């Protein structure tokens, strides 16, 4: 059985707005390594649509981008992508699949069938999955900034505190810190 890992960019004040943070070669290389180590991606519809609107064009060369972004886009292109959505059924991007049925059962089945693990990169979806005790570990890239706005990490709350064990902390030269935690309880 693979692990379900919540991975996202977050500022010191908890902001997970995709427009915030340091988007440089080192950050993209970090996320490309995470992507290559995992077996699949899991997103909500909004995140999927945001990704779908840009990254396939970078992977195909239709959108000019620096090498670090191209590497991320190419890795993302080949990775299985699973999408949770009640309002959309068609996901034409390469290797994209609609995750259907009961959320808890469908995600557990995905974990069970993906030995290299599944990365979830949607904040609201991760909160819902965490409420179901399905998140096994957290790989947060913490950016050295305070934004003063949201959306924020877990803004809809959890039923109880999550106790975590530090697996690793890796500072990047840009000031961000890659934090890897595993559930302790």
């Amino acid at each position: 059985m693979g692990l379900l890992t919540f991975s996202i960019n977050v500022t010191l004040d908890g902001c997970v707005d995709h427009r915030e943070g340091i988007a440089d070669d080192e950050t993209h290389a970090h996320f490309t390594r995470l992507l290559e180590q995992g077996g699949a991606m899991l997103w909500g519809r909004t995140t999927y649509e945001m990704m779908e609107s840009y990254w396939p064009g970078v992977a195909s060369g239709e959108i000019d981008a620096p090498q670090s972004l191209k590497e991320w886009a190419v890795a993302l292109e080949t990775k299985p992508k699973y999408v949770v959505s009640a309002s959309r059924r068609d996901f034409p991007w390469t290797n994209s699949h609609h995750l259907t049925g009961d959320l808890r059962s469908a995600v557990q089945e995905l974990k069970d069938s993906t030995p290299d693990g599944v990365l979830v990169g949607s904040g609201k979806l991760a909160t819902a999955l965490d409420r179901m005790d399905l998140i096994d570990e957290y790989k947060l890239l913490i950016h050295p900034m305070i934004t003063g706005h949201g959306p924020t990490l877990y803004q809809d709350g959890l039923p109880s505190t999550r106790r975590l064990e530090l697996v690793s902390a890796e500072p990047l030269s840009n000031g961000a810190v890659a934090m890897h935690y595993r559930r302790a309880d």
Side-chain angles (χ1 to χ4, degrees):
M1 175 178 86
L3 299 176
L4 182 60
T5 302
F6 178 28
S7 181
I8 199 162
N9 288 297
V10 61
T11 65
L12 288 171
D13 59 344
C15 179
V16 293
D17 185 327
H18 72 276
R19 296 166 295 188
E20 298 292 352
I22 302 167
D24 63 5
D25 289 347
E26 188 175 22
T27 298
H28 285 100
H30 167 77
F31 279 106
T32 300
R33 283 191 304 276
L34 284 181
L35 182 63
E36 290 170 343
Q37 294 166 1
M41 294 296 304
L42 176 60
W43 294 322
R45 180 194 51 80
T46 301
T47 301
Y48 173 86
E49 289 175 349
M50 179 183 63
M51 303 295 270
E52 171 190 48
S53 70
Y54 182 70
W55 294 111
V58 174
S60 70
E62 292 173 35
I63 298 173
D64 190 38
Q67 187 61 33
S68 63
L69 270 68
K70 289 178 185 175
E71 290 169 6
W72 159 260
V74 168
L76 189 57
E77 190 71 18
T78 60
K79 193 62 64 174
K81 296 168 277 294
Y82 293 87
V83 187
V84 174
S85 177
S87 62
R88 183 174 170 184
R89 306 258 180 263
D90 180 41
F91 300 94
W93 185 8
T94 307
N95 294 318
S96 295
H97 312 277
H98 186 207
L99 200 64
T100 59
D102 173 71
L103 183 60
R104 179 190 303 273
S105 300
V107 171
Q108 186 62 56
E109 187 176 308
L110 180 60
K111 285 173 61 172
D112 292 345
S113 65
T114 312
D116 289 335
V118 179
L119 289 172
V120 59
S122 298
K124 287 182 181 180
L125 177 59
T127 300
L129 297 173
D130 217 341
R131 286 184 184 136
M132 296 176 194
D133 288 325
L134 290 171
I135 304 279
D136 300 299
E137 59 181 18
Y138 307 79
K139 292 185 177 180
L140 308 175
L141 187 59
I142 302 173
H143 294 265
M145 58 185 61
I146 296 170
T147 62
H149 67 83
T152 58
L153 194 62
Y154 292 100
Q155 71 185 26
D156 295 330
L158 289 173
S160 62
T161 299
R162 296 287 183 249
R163 303 257 180 241
L164 308 175
E165 295 175 356
L166 179 65
V167 175
S168 65
E170 176 191 348
L172 280 62
S173 65
N174 62 18
V177 180
M179 303 297 292
H180 180 185
Y181 291 98
R182 196 165 282 138
R183 290 277 301 261
D185 49 1

